[in-house]
Amino acid sequence: MTQADPVSESEIRDALERVLESEEFQSSPRIKDVLRYIVEKMLEGRSDEIHEPIIAYEVFNRTSDDPDSSSSVVRVTMARLRRKLSHYYQSAGVDDPIRIEISAGSYAPVFHRVGREEVDIQEIAPTVDAAEQVVAGRKLLSRAHKLLIVLGVILIAVSSFLVAEFVLHERYREHYEGDTSEMPFVAVVGLDHKQETGELGRRFQMALTSDLANLSALRVMAPGPGGSEQLLHMTLAEMRASFGLSHFISGVYVVNQDELQFDVQLQATKTSQILWAERYAGHLDNFDGFLAHTVSDIATALSVVVDPDETKRISLNHTSNRSAITLFSNAMRSLYPPDQPGRTFAAIEMFKEVTVLDPTFAGGFAGLALAHAQLVLYQHSSDPDSDLKKAIGYADEAIKVDPDYGFGHSAKGYAYSVMGDHHRSVVESYRAVTLAPSDPISQMRFAVVLCLAGRHEDALVAIDETLHLDPLKTRTPYRNLRGVILYNLGRYKDALAAFDENVSLRGPRAGWIKLIHAMTYARLGMNERAIGLLQEAKGALGRVPAEYWLDVWFSVPGAADEAKADLVKLGWDDLPGVN
């Protein structure tokens, strides 16, 4: 297939080297090997060799003796490669003239020329599927075809937008849906001590869950209230049916003075088979070392590949200062509900103390960044520009202290979103979820910035992933955010169902949530219910105008104006507020 402006071999090699030399790929030698291998095969015209068994043998030195294991290694590595390429081209490689893409369901790379109006795809080998080589519009050389040229330019502009959106959406679907369909989904329950989950058992549950959340080749369920007692009272079949869990981690421990012994086991929910069990024994001070070994052993038992950079994040103890950890947890709880300014100001003071207790712990700085941005979003700031400047500064400090701490990137993305810099907000927030794919809070903030950026389909995928990872805690903002996103998509009945579910679970009910809930009723013509909720909202909004929240959350063009018109029709100015 002849292209008007084909991508040359030298350009492809330059693009490859830029990717391989980037910071994104420095800690992933095996992924670099795979990328170089598949690009070289395309350049040699041997795309027929880009298949799982051949890659497994030539890159991973895996034979066909264990085809399932070999295929799994290749699939997981390719999934990680796609994610790393996605992040690279949204951050350091955003201005690269040539991009390397690997479509979902294919291992053969495609090379894109990024221009102002079009994306050209170079055909490297005749064996590449022609459907992957179609370019939206061609420059026609004959002046006699002026009308066709005009139509072609329009087609190019529209097609380029659609291609960009399609690629973006496919990346998110691949990350959250396609690549996770065969991933293990595990739950961790705290170790039992004499049949009662004590402090050490709960610490084990939280720490092991947090470490496993850094692995991109599996999912881990967030701990529920009280150490996931709900899971403890369910059969394995019920766990699988209710939450889609594939595996369950549990155990027992005994402490004798300063010596610790604990037994851990991994059980499959489908077969009830215990796939792995291990006993760890040693001094209590080596608890974190036990955890690192546990994560490695679980990954091996599940036949998942762990990147070196993921291993580094697991082995890195963010802080051993228990006072700092406790105060950080209290500060995070104080941030919510965010419509109460006193709680946010109290959180700021606690986060400051965390940075004093342990200045090498990035959590204190990330918390300060989030809190200052939250002051601005919820209209509690007396100097919004100063608070947003502080938010970015604290987030930068958190990332400087620990570049692999997802919360630092998440807080920075949130601050950029409040500033209205949606491109950088999405890039930073996406970085956070790649660092800790199973962290539901990072996923939730990712959904927030995507919603505020107007990327509602992607936001829906992210919030659904949040709910999947954290189904046991009911008093969360997840369902309200899902309702807001669905409203923006024009799916008012589904939005109403999300808001109503939050009410039934006694979730958060801030004034702005009641306002948007009421607007959803209005869109469905249920005006009496809308008016009742608006009365409650008016009493809860305080000095913040209703119009502000409509402008913030309704990012579809015209949606905020429609909602304001609905407010007028429902007599907002004449409604009495209910305190």
Side-chain angles (χ1 to χ4, degrees):
M1 182 174 181
T2 303
Q3 300 294 327
D5 189 12
V7 180
S8 67
E9 179 177 336
S10 62
E11 288 177 309
I12 292 171
R13 292 192 183 280
D14 287 343
L16 175 63
E17 292 307 314
R18 275 194 292 271
V19 172
L20 296 177
E21 293 173 4
S22 69
E23 182 180 352
E24 180 74 28
F25 281 76
Q26 286 310 300
S27 59
S28 305
R30 188 55 57 87
I31 292 179
K32 292 170 66 174
D33 290 343
V34 171
L35 179 58
R36 186 181 294 278
Y37 174 84
I38 62 176
V39 170
E40 290 293 342
K41 289 298 180 185
M42 290 296 292
L43 291 174
E44 294 168 6
R46 298 163 65 184
S47 61
D48 57 319
E49 296 181 16
I50 306 178
H51 294 290
E52 284 179 4
I54 301 177
I55 296 174
Y57 178 74
E58 294 197 359
V59 180
F60 296 94
N61 297 318
R62 298 287 183 96
T63 66
S64 59
D65 296 339
D66 187 4
D68 291 337
S69 176
S70 298
S71 297
S72 175
V73 168
V74 176
R75 285 197 300 271
V76 169
T77 304
M78 292 299 295
R80 289 177 177 169
L81 172 56
R82 292 188 187 98
R83 285 194 289 272
K84 282 187 173 291
L85 283 172
S86 173
H87 180 257
Y88 169 74
Y89 287 123
Q90 292 186 60
S91 52
V94 67
D95 295 323
D96 283 10
I98 307 298
R99 295 192 177 187
I100 303 171
E101 300 283 357
I102 306 170
S103 302
S106 171
Y107 294 162
V110 180
F111 309 100
H112 296 253
R113 183 183 300 283
V114 179
R116 293 182 180 178
E117 296 182 338
E118 64 181 307
V119 177
D120 290 329
I121 303 174
Q122 166 69 11
E123 179 182 6
I124 297 300
T127 54
V128 178
D129 191 336
E132 296 180 347
Q133 306 170 27
V134 176
V135 179
R138 298 180 181 179
K139 293 182 180 180
L140 301 179
L141 301 178
S142 173
R143 293 184 178 180
H145 297 151
K146 288 184 178 180
L147 177 60
L148 291 179
I149 292 175
V150 173
L151 293 175
V153 169
I154 295 173
L155 178 61
I156 288 170
V158 174
S159 298
S160 297
F161 172 77
L162 293 177
V163 167
E165 288 298 300
F166 172 78
V167 170
L168 175 66
H169 293 166
E170 282 304 304
R171 285 171 181 164
Y172 291 135
R173 290 192 187 99
E174 174 190 327
H175 183 69
Y176 297 119
E177 296 173 356
D179 288 337
T180 58
S181 61
E182 297 181 4
M183 282 186 183
F185 185 31
V186 304
V188 182
V189 172
L191 297 176
D192 290 336
H193 175 52
K194 296 180 180 178
Q195 305 305 314
E196 294 181 2
T197 301
E199 179 182 354
L200 188 64
R202 286 189 291 271
R203 180 182 167 194
F204 168 86
Q205 180 192 27
M206 299 296 291
L208 182 57
T209 299
S210 178
D211 285 345
L212 290 172
N214 292 323
L215 303 185
S216 57
L218 58 78
R219 283 166 155 174
V220 58
M221 179 187 287
S228 303
E229 280 87 353
Q230 183 177 346
L231 289 179
L232 288 171
H233 292 90
M234 298 176 71
T235 66
L236 295 175
E238 288 171 336
M239 291 181 197
R240 188 175 186 86
S242 298
F243 305 117
L245 286 169
S246 62
H247 298 85
F248 181 72
I249 301 169
S250 60
V252 295
Y253 73 94
V254 176
V255 177
N256 183 11
Q257 294 183 344
D258 290 333
E259 294 300 311
L260 169 67
Q261 174 183 300
F262 64 89
D263 300 326
V264 190
Q265 68 179 32
L266 174 71
Q267 194 169 9
T269 59
K270 186 176 183 179
T271 63
S272 300
Q273 179 185 4
I274 296 176
L275 302 179
W276 163 84
E278 187 60 77
R279 169 169 292 178
Y280 301 91
H283 199 274
L284 190 59
D285 289 343
N286 194 34
F287 185 76
D288 291 326
F290 294 154
L291 282 172
H293 283 298
T294 304
V295 173
S296 177
D297 289 343
I298 290 171
T300 300
L302 292 171
S303 298
V304 299
V305 179
V306 180
D307 269 345
D309 55 342
E310 294 173 343
T311 302
K312 180 182 69 174
R313 292 199 295 273
I314 292 167
S315 61
L316 178 65
N317 185 10
H318 291 296
T319 180
S320 57
N321 189 317
R322 305 308 301 173
S323 297
I325 292 174
T326 300
L327 189 58
F328 172 77
S329 298
N330 291 337
M332 289 300 294
R333 283 193 291 270
S334 184
L335 281 176
Y336 302 97
D339 59 328
Q340 298 180 18
R343 298 183 67 92
T344 304
F345 286 117
I348 288 175
E349 294 305 313
M350 285 188 276
F351 285 129
K352 287 180 179 178
E353 182 62 24
V354 171
T355 65
V356 173
L357 288 170
D358 188 351
T360 66
F361 174 39
F365 299 106
L368 283 168
L370 180 64
H372 281 281
Q374 190 166 284
L375 284 177
V376 177
L377 180 63
Y378 286 86
Q379 297 281 282
H380 301 319
S381 174
S382 58
D383 189 348
D385 290 340
S386 175
D387 275 313
L388 287 176
K389 185 177 180 180
K390 289 179 181 178
I392 297 297
Y394 282 127
D396 284 339
E397 186 64 26
I399 295 169
K400 179 181 177 181
V401 170
D402 185 354
D404 293 322
Y405 187 47
F407 182 24
H409 294 278
S410 179
K412 190 173 184 179
Y414 187 87
Y416 276 134
S417 185
V418 176
M419 291 174 66
D421 190 339
H422 297 303
H423 173 72
R424 284 196 283 187
S425 74
V426 171
V427 169
E428 289 293 339
S429 301
Y430 185 64
R431 177 63 173 162
V433 299
T434 59
L435 287 169
S438 289
D439 175 30
I441 304 302
S442 293
Q443 294 282 359
M444 179 194 70
R445 293 197 196 102
F446 190 33
V448 168
V449 302
L450 286 167
C451 179
L452 297 180
R455 298 180 178 180
H456 303 110
E457 292 286 357
D458 299 323
L460 183 61
V461 173
I463 195 60
D464 283 346
E465 177 70 359
T466 305
L467 284 161
H468 184 73
L469 292 170
D470 195 7
L472 297 177
K473 292 194 286 289
T474 55
R475 296 183 61 80
T476 63
Y478 305 155
R479 292 161 186 83
N480 289 324
L481 178 56
R482 191 172 194 273
V484 172
I485 294 167
L486 288 165
Y487 184 107
N488 277 282
L489 289 169
R491 294 169 54 179
Y492 304 118
K493 289 183 179 179
D494 293 334
L496 184 60
F499 287 124
D500 287 346
E501 183 181 11
N502 175 70
V503 173
S504 69
L505 294 172
R506 299 183 179 180
R509 295 287 288 158
W512 68 268
I513 294 171
K514 294 178 180 179
L515 171 69
I516 298 179
H517 193 171
M519 292 296 92
T520 311
Y521 277 126
R523 287 280 96 187
L524 293 170
M526 305 167 72
N527 289 349
E528 289 187 10
R529 292 191 177 184
I531 291 171
L533 261 181
L534 285 176
Q535 289 178 317
E536 296 181 30
K538 196 165 191 178
L541 285 176
R543 64 178 182 82
V544 182
E547 291 80 5
Y548 169 78
W549 291 114
L550 300 181
D551 286 332
V552 166
W553 288 110
F554 294 160
S555 45
V556 172
D561 291 336
E562 289 178 351
K564 292 173 187 177
D566 286 340
L567 270 182
V568 173
K569 292 176 184 177
L570 294 169
W572 171 255
D573 291 334
D574 298 323
L575 289 175
V578 179
N579 294 317

